[in-house]
């Protein structure tokens, strides 16, 4: 565990609202992820209430220039990735100024948890693709719908 992760754990232990989620990098190719924040998410895995909107904020470094960025989201249920519609898949309208340069960005999107979703645990796989369809980032984090 690096010192930054240690600090986050410490802050969580002493009762801060802990929004920084543990994630797995599932193959970021043309970028590198620093942090993934889900708000509000006081416990881990994040418990997302049906009928509420959540914000997902991925802080990452782009190692390429790209005119576009497109988000692709899946929910992995029992090992099978199910496409997940998000309100705006255009990364350039989600906190990223395009054309993208080689620099840090905050990708900020809304995750709407619809009331008809089943109350299950699943893994969210969130990718952001560049002009060449390579993943600027690919992160996976567990959630629980309640
Ligand atoms: C996203 O996260 C970064 C790093 O934690 C933070 O600096 C930035 O203000 C956040 N943006 C939003 C809109 O929450």
């Amino acid at each position: 565990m690096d010192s930054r992760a240690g600090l986050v754990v410490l802050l969580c232990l002493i009762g801060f609202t802990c929004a920084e989620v543990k994630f797995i990098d599932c193959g970021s190719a043309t970028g590198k992820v620093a942090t993934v924040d889900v708000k509000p998410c006081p416990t881990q895995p994040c418990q997302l209430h049906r009928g509420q909107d959540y914000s997902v904020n991925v802080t990452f470094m782009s190692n390429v220039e790209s005119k576009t960025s497109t988000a692709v989201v899946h929910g992995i249920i029992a090992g099978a990735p199910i496409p997940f519609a998000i309100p705006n898949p255009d990364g350039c309208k989600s906190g990223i100024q395009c054309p993208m340069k080689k620099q840090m960005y905050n990708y900020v999107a809304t995750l709407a948890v619809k009331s008809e979703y089943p109350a299950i645990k699943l893994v969210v796989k969130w990718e952001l693709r560049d002009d060449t369809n390579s993943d600027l980032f690919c992160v996976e984090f567990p959630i629980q719908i309640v």
Side-chain angles (χ1 to χ4, degrees), residues 18-21 35-42 46-49 52-59 86-87 94 106-113 124 126 141 143:
C18 185
E20 195 165 306
V21 299
T35 56
V36 178
D37 287 350
V38 177
K39 279 180 203 159
C41 171
C46 296
Q47 293 199 342
L48 307 188
H49 294 259
Q52 277 181 231
D53 285 350
Y54 291 84
S55 103
V56 176
N57 175 352
V58 181
T59 303
I86 55 165
S94 310
N106 292 311
Y107 165 84
V108 182
T110 301
L111 180 64
V113 180
V124 174
W126 205 301
F141 53 92
I143 63 167

Side-chain angles (χ1 to χ4, degrees), residues 2-9 11 18-25 28 31-39 44 55-62 104-109 126 128 136-141:
D2 64 24
S3 60
R4 181 163 180 156
L7 179 64
V8 170
V9 170
L11 291 176
C18 185
E20 195 165 306
V21 299
K22 292 188 198 85
F23 66 91
I24 293 170
D25 191 301
S28 305
K32 184 162 190 353
V33 183
T35 56
V36 178
D37 287 350
V38 177
K39 279 180 203 159
Q44 296 219 21
S55 103
V56 176
N57 175 352
V58 181
T59 303
F60 71 101
M61 172 75 197
S62 172
M104 296 295 293
Y105 287 98
N106 292 311
Y107 165 84
V108 182
W126 205 301
L128 189 69
L136 286 157
F137 66 72
C138 177
V139 292
E140 286 182 4
F141 53 92

